[in-house]
Amino acid sequence: MVNLEVNIGKTTFKNPVLTASGTFGNGSEFDDFFDVSRLGGILLKGTTLEPREGNPYPRMAETPSGMLNSVGLQNKGIDYFEKNIYPKVSLYKTNVIVNINGNYIEEYVELASRVNKLDNIAGIELNISCPNVKMGGMAFGTNAASAREVTKAVRAAYNKTLIVKLSPNVTSIVDFARIAEEEGADSISLINTLLGMAVDIRTLRPSLSTITGGLSGPAVKPIALRMVWQAAKAVRIPVIGIGGIMNSDDAIEFIAAGASAVQVGTASFIDPMASVRILEGIEEYLTTKGFNDIKDLIGYINRK
Amino acid sequence: MVNLEVNIGKTTFKNPVLTASGTFGNGSEFDDFFDVSRLGGILLKGTTLEPREGNPYPRMAETPSGMLNSVGLQNKGIDYFEKNIYPKVSLYKTNVIVNINGNYIEEYVELASRVNKLDNIAGIELNISCPNVKMGGMAFGTNAASAREVTKAVRAAYNKTLIVKLSPNVTSIVDFARIAEEEGADSISLINTLLGMAVDIRTLRPSLSTITGGLSGPAVKPIALRMVWQAAKAVRIPVIGIGGIMNSDDAIEFIAAGASAVQVGTASFIDPMASVRILEGIEEYLTTKGFNDIKDLIGYINRK
Amino acid sequence: MTKSVRNFQLIDNKSIKKDFYVLELSSGQPLPEILPGQFVQVRVDDSKETFLRRPFSVHDVDYTRNSLKLLIQIAGKGTSSLSEKKPGDLLSLVGPLGNSFSLPENDDRTLLVGGGCGVAPLLYLAKYLKSHKREFDILMGFRNRDRIIEHEEYRALSNVYLTTEDGSEGEIGFVTQHSLLRKEKYSRIYCCGPDAMMKAVGKFANENQIHCEVSLENLMGCGFGVCLCCIVKTVDGNVCSCTEGPVFNIKRLIW
Amino acid sequence: MTKSVRNFQLIDNKSIKKDFYVLELSSGQPLPEILPGQFVQVRVDDSKETFLRRPFSVHDVDYTRNSLKLLIQIAGKGTSSLSEKKPGDLLSLVGPLGNSFSLPENDDRTLLVGGGCGVAPLLYLAKYLKSHKREFDILMGFRNRDRIIEHEEYRALSNVYLTTEDGSEGEIGFVTQHSLLRKEKYSRIYCCGPDAMMKAVGKFANENQIHCEVSLENLMGCGFGVCLCCIVKTVDGNVCSCTEGPVFNIKRLIW
Ligand SMILES: Cc1cc2nc3c(=O)[nH]c(=O)nc-3n(C[C@H](O)[C@H](O)[C@H](O)COP(=O)(O)OP(=O)(O)OC[C@H]3O[C@@H](n4cnc5c(N)ncnc54)[C@H](O)[C@@H]3O)c2cc1C
Ligand SMILES: Cc1cc2nc3c(=O)[nH]c(=O)nc-3n(C[C@H](O)[C@H](O)[C@H](O)COP(=O)(O)OP(=O)(O)OC[C@H]3O[C@@H](n4cnc5c(N)ncnc54)[C@H](O)[C@@H]3O)c2cc1C
Ligand SMILES: Cc1cc2nc3c(=O)[nH]c(=O)nc-3n(C[C@H](O)[C@H](O)[C@H](O)COP(=O)(O)O)c2cc1C
Ligand SMILES: Cc1cc2nc3c(=O)[nH]c(=O)nc-3n(C[C@H](O)[C@H](O)[C@H](O)COP(=O)(O)O)c2cc1C
Ligand code: FES
Ligand code: FES
């Protein structure tokens, strides 16, 4: 038996396979497909203080080995979350993490304090990297001073596991990784989507109502992997790898490059069972390669 | 007959299809496949003052809808270029542009002065965005002050068409586009490759000898298109679109988003005739859609 | 109606008209209950350019053979690739997905309206209604005689009325111009077809206070409610077309 | 030898051994001259995971039928997909690419050494040598009897000597251990096989001052000299294996 357990912040994950926020609904959408509790953890759809309608249709475009989305954080707000979603996700026997988003630092802080009171939520993922909202979002994640300020403020308001989700749309990912660590984040997760665009040449209009949107899927994997590798070398807190992970081979690349856990995103759209198949594949790989503990694989390529 | 002519700086291009530096050799490699003189222009492999051996093998990895390379500007230097390559490329009846690279500003300037004396070279593409060299390269293209300095210096040394090739590995492409314009560049071309990485999970080693390399191909197209659109709105000089252009549909997306011309890169590896097929496809599209002049398509999506 | 990811084997691929194919797929295991109006998400494996699955309405179901049919119109890369599938090929399907057309009351006068590829879900709906002993008429609109698909299959189930835009078969014009709509007093309309047709039918239904359900074809990322890309503007705000639809009562839609 | 991009039609796909396939492809137009050791770049269209073309040595050429053969060993996604191709399928090839094995002098004692999939270019080389009236022997090494491929084809052309690592056929051990090398005084060796084999053969040739050419299998981006990804370290610096190779005189290589 291989030991798959990893620790991130105050949380123990029974295995390193998590789901990426905004691609896994609130978990229950997957109940028909597999037992969600098998995963190391699930990250819920981005939540805001007030309900949001998101951006107008069309919000999606297919791209080579990827997709663009400009959902824009459509969600029913934290009140609805507490009343209707929290009781349901509390039943899962796995770590549930809430992805929080705000226009202002105060909103992030209020959300963090509200989530702090929810016993069955293992942690917060602080999303400072959503490219699809006009205010907040990526503006925080691409400006060092704002990233610092919001992390510090949320840290003060939240005492369980705090993960800061970084934007890849920056010159130096290492700077932002360090800022998160310095301000007390327990972990960083990366990458969120890359800002992209598509044009419909039949209509000669942008494919998305918002013109630009977030690129995800295997297309971004090489960039994500590079950033995870850079970030993992720069900080001591655990790094969670995200970006184009479609199968266990991809997940293993991230772990070998320094990720302590991975999040499966767009892959779940194409194969709703992707996350659990990745979990099985990692276990098989470790066994075949003779690793007894997933920890021995983390950052393997950096060893000599 | 559709008018395909576009003007960039002091140069008239008979059509907007160029080839991307480092993916088209010195042109002659394509002589067997088609008449290179049909293209609007060709950009030669990156040239440096001294010969360079480039990075060790392996320098390449396939990725989903793309590839990583870390060639590292292997070339025989400007002396060899003048003596052996220049006479040959002078025979092409199309614009030949030299892509120049240096470790220091002085090297860029010396290269520019040397190329300035070559009558049959229509212009220079100033590469401040190569991710695969330890010194110079992308370091210039991701730092605003250096980008400004090198552009200014090369501009002073070169009086024909000067194109600055931008790195996509930055937070704000618009800043760099503006800097190039302010310092007198005739045009900007983008994007160079995105910094990426791959791991071989069989050997648990990085796939490239240099660990990281430059990502190109359709995977990067949505990002490239977004940057071209942003840059074209921010500057008045013409923008040359590059990144994952595989067919005429892709090229049209770039032109409609604001590019005055396009460069075909990785596509030529898979189909050596890609560039000329793209040219034919653009002409057909314009005819079908009832455009008489390519200029009417440039930036079409920005019009109301 | 438990959703699953399953491989189906193609047992037949019939080209029924230029650009239209009927694929029959069978599963090794029993099918779950599938309701009319539901759809499946099909993976297109052998095309470099398709990344996401493609949604198709369930066109027909045969529980005894564990098989279902899809009616596919070539629209682009994915559908072309699917049209070339051969018996024996495996296709991965996620489904059944989405809601369904409602069952009419016993005293409803029901009309099914379809156009172009929009007839796809109506065959299974018609069979379903018939098996539930509901009566209904069918009205189908096409561009011209050459575009008409499958009306024989429908004739076996009920009265079929046709319009073509050029009058080459049936009445001339659009479905909403068919004389039937002036003669008969329907209390319930189910419609699937091009947007313009659904809007025209919806308008007609509204004006005549007829209960009307339409099946929408929004772009879909996942098909089961997690990507929030397939939204439709309704009186209740943006809702997912893949879970709260694809069938909507037109009263709910903000068109 | 003008290079071109062309569609070939698959006329035969024969599985000759587990994981080994011989594909015969024919072109509508006459083939250009193809030299032994040259290769083609094959596009793998129906696999989502292959982006670049895949290089394969020309295994055989039939100018009268405008056809050529490739010997393909399954190594990953691209080769698996190619192994499933059926007669009638079209494949896009770029070629002929690369340099070739040199023609031996009339008085050369020549030996062809191949192992595993590295025998691919040797069949065409052997036929070429024969048609140029050169004499040669063939030495082939495999892991065991079950891995031996195509030695009958070679026997028709000359003497074939075998080694297997377990001695299940021919002499036991590696090719460099075969008694032939102690008995015969060769002046020229052509080798293609796994890296370790080529290095061992190269070492033997060097020690015995035998002219030796090996065919390398570097990763290739383009195949015709523009991406500079396929480099080999030589005494003249980094050179492209796709244009200055794939065949190299071992004296030039820095191994
Ligand atoms: C619930 C639902 C049920 C459907 N049922 C059927 C059916 O029974 N038979 C059938 O032939 N088609 C049906 N469609 C439409 C079908 O999904 C699209 O035609 C198909 O996805 C196009 O894929 P492609 O790769 O061939 O086209 P692409 O090359 O991807 O695009 C070609 C064109 O099709 C449009 N398109 C792409 N994806 C979709 C999509 N998901 N929905 C609508 N348009 C799209 C694009 O905008 C573009 O205009 C249905 C769609 C939905 C949402
Ligand atoms: C000049 C030349 C001639 C060749 N001739 C033949 C031949 O006649 N028959 C034959 O079966 N194979 C030949 N090869 C090797 C063949 O090209 C690779 O096996 C093939 O590209 C692997 O593709 P894949 O998609 O199946 O494997 P992938 O899934 O891409 O990779 C599987 C493994 O193959 C390795 N590989 C990938 N691409 C290459 C490559 N271009 N060269 C070498 N290894 C690679 C990878 O590193 C990996 O270890 C030749 C290679 C070269 C360069
Ligand atoms: C449709 C969609 C919605 C998303 N919504 C969110 C979100 O609400 N919050 C967030 O932090 N990330 C969101 N993301 C980003 C993903 O969590 C993930 O970072 C990104 O998609 C890259 O991973 P992938 O390539 O595996 O999908 C979303 C991504 C997609 C495709
Ligand atoms: C193998 C390879 C070598 C390259 N060499 C250079 C170079 O010497 N100079 C340069 O400016 N860009 C170089 N590039 C970048 C391309 O010119 C182009 O900007 C990039 O590949 C994106 O375009 P594409 O996706 O169409 O390939 C190289 C790209 C590749 C793939
Ligand atoms: S298609 Fe993803 S939510 Fe409807
Ligand atoms: S494979 Fe591109 S230069 Fe050799």
Side-chain angles (χ1 to χ4, degrees), chain D residues 8 11 24-27 29-32 34 58-69 124 127:
Chain D
F8 281 71
I11 48 182
E24 186 171 4
L25 300 163
S26 96
S27 166
Q29 298 143 269
L31 295 180
I34 300 174
V58 174
H59 183 49
D60 203 354
V61 180
D62 185 339
Y63 290 105
T64 58
R65 302 175 67 195
N66 298 329
S67 77
L68 52 80
K69 285 185 186 164
Y124 186 48
K127 291 192 177 178

Side-chain angles (χ1 to χ4, degrees), chain A residues 63-65 68 142-143 169-172 176 194-207 210-212 215 218-223 225-227 229-230 248-250 252-254 256-257 285 289 291 297 300-304, chain B residues 63-65 68 142-143 169-172 176 194-207 210-212 215 218-223 225-227 229-230 248-250 252-254 256-257 285 289 291 297 300-304:
Chain A
T63 67
S65 298
L68 290 164
T142 57
N143 177 296
N169 301 292
V170 296
T171 309
S172 165
F176 290 86
L194 278 145
L195 201 59
M197 177 175 161
V199 171
D200 182 338
I201 70 155
R202 279 180 291 196
T203 59
L204 282 171
R205 310 290 321 150
S207 300
T210 47
I211 307 182
T212 62
L215 182 66
V220 309
K221 190 188 74 170
I223 303 167
L225 194 62
R226 181 264 297 180
M227 290 189 167
W229 176 72
Q230 290 178 323
S248 55
D249 287 3
D250 296 332
I252 291 157
E253 282 194 69
F254 276 86
Y285 178 88
K289 282 270 180 178
F291 286 95
L297 185 64
Y300 188 96
I301 67 158
N302 293 321
R303 290 175 218 148
K304 244 282 71 87
Chain B
T63 67
S65 298
L68 289 164
T142 58
N143 177 297
N169 301 293
V170 296
T171 309
S172 165
F176 290 86
L194 278 145
L195 200 59
M197 177 175 163
V199 171
D200 182 337
I201 70 155
R202 280 180 288 197
T203 58
L204 282 172
R205 308 292 321 149
S207 301
T210 47
I211 307 183
T212 64
L215 181 66
V220 309
K221 191 187 73 169
I223 302 167
L225 194 62
R226 182 264 296 181
M227 290 188 168
W229 176 72
Q230 290 179 322
S248 54
D249 287 3
D250 296 333
I252 291 158
E253 283 194 69
F254 276 85
Y285 177 89
K289 281 271 183 179
F291 286 94
L297 186 62
Y300 188 95
I301 67 157
N302 294 321
R303 291 177 216 146
K304 244 281 76 82

Side-chain angles (χ1 to χ4, degrees), chain B residues 60 269, chain D residues 39 41 218-231 240-243:
Chain B
M60 182 197 100
F269 300 166
Chain D
F39 66 99
Q41 281 269 71
N218 280 22
L219 287 172
M220 290 190 175
C222 65
F224 50 98
V226 295
C227 75
L228 309 188
C229 289
C230 61
I231 48 139
C240 284
S241 166
C242 68
T243 49

Side-chain angles (χ1 to χ4, degrees), chain B residues 81-147:
Chain B
F81 176 82
E82 288 171 345
K83 259 180 248 126
N84 301 286
I85 300 173
Y86 177 65
K88 271 198 229 159
V89 295
S90 293
L91 302 176
Y92 288 124
K93 292 189 187 58
T94 187
N95 295 310
V96 178
I97 295 171
V98 177
N99 177 278
I100 65 165
N101 301 269
N103 292 334
Y104 309 101
I105 294 195
E106 297 67 34
E107 292 183 356
Y108 278 106
V109 170
E110 189 177 336
L111 274 166
S113 336
R114 299 270 294 260
V115 178
N116 208 20
K117 293 183 204 121
L118 305 176
D119 284 344
N120 297 320
I121 299 297
I124 274 183
E125 186 178 54
L126 174 61
N127 184 6
I128 53 169
S129 41
C130 179
N132 297 322
V133 288
K134 285 211 192 78
M135 298 170 67
M138 206 175 89
F140 283 105
T142 58
N143 177 297
S146 321

Side-chain angles (χ1 to χ4, degrees), chain A residues 144-165:
Chain A
S146 320
R148 188 178 293 282
E149 218 184 326
V150 68
T151 309
K152 178 188 244 136
V154 168
R155 176 74 290 178
Y158 191 71
N159 42 43
K160 285 186 276 178
T161 299
L162 174 63
I163 303 161
V164 178
K165 183 162 181 181

Side-chain angles (χ1 to χ4, degrees), chain C residues 22-57:
Chain C
V22 175
L23 272 58
E24 187 171 4
L25 302 163
S26 95
S27 166
Q29 299 143 270
L31 296 179
E33 190 192 354
I34 300 174
L35 296 175
Q38 288 195 300
F39 65 100
V40 292
Q41 282 269 69
V42 181
R43 186 158 173 163
V44 188
D45 266 323
D46 50 6
S47 155
K48 276 196 206 309
E49 288 158 319
T50 54
F51 173 64
L52 299 163
R53 287 175 183 260
R54 299 292 191 259
F56 298 98
S57 302

Side-chain angles (χ1 to χ4, degrees), chain C residues 125-217:
Chain C
L125 173 61
K127 291 191 177 177
Y128 182 87
L129 293 181
K130 196 146 178 129
S131 75
H132 285 74
K133 306 220 163 22
R134 299 299 195 276
E135 303 220 331
F136 56 93
D137 293 327
I138 301 170
L139 172 59
M140 296 162 94
F142 299 97
R143 201 166 316 153
N144 57 49
R145 157 179 297 175
D146 294 337
R147 297 293 192 113
I148 297 173
I149 43 172
E150 293 211 313
H151 65 302
E152 302 82 3
E153 322 260 332
Y154 290 89
R155 273 195 216 288
L157 300 164
S158 188
N159 309 314
V160 174
Y161 303 88
L162 282 178
T163 62
T164 52
E165 289 175 35
D166 64 355
S168 51
E169 187 130 356
E171 293 188 13
I172 190 166
F174 297 111
V175 283
T176 42
Q177 298 170 306
H178 199 283
S179 56
L180 181 72
L181 296 180
R182 269 164 284 131
K183 273 185 277 178
E184 296 282 345
K185 282 266 155 288
Y186 293 103
S187 59
R188 198 170 268 260
I189 295 180
Y190 298 118
C191 179
C192 185
D195 256 24
M197 174 189 279
M198 291 197 285
K199 281 188 184 152
V201 170
K203 189 159 165 268
F204 169 83
N206 258 339
E207 284 164 6
N208 294 276
Q209 276 146 41
I210 303 171
H211 172 104
C212 177
E213 297 174 17
V214 295
S215 175
L216 303 183
E217 292 199 353

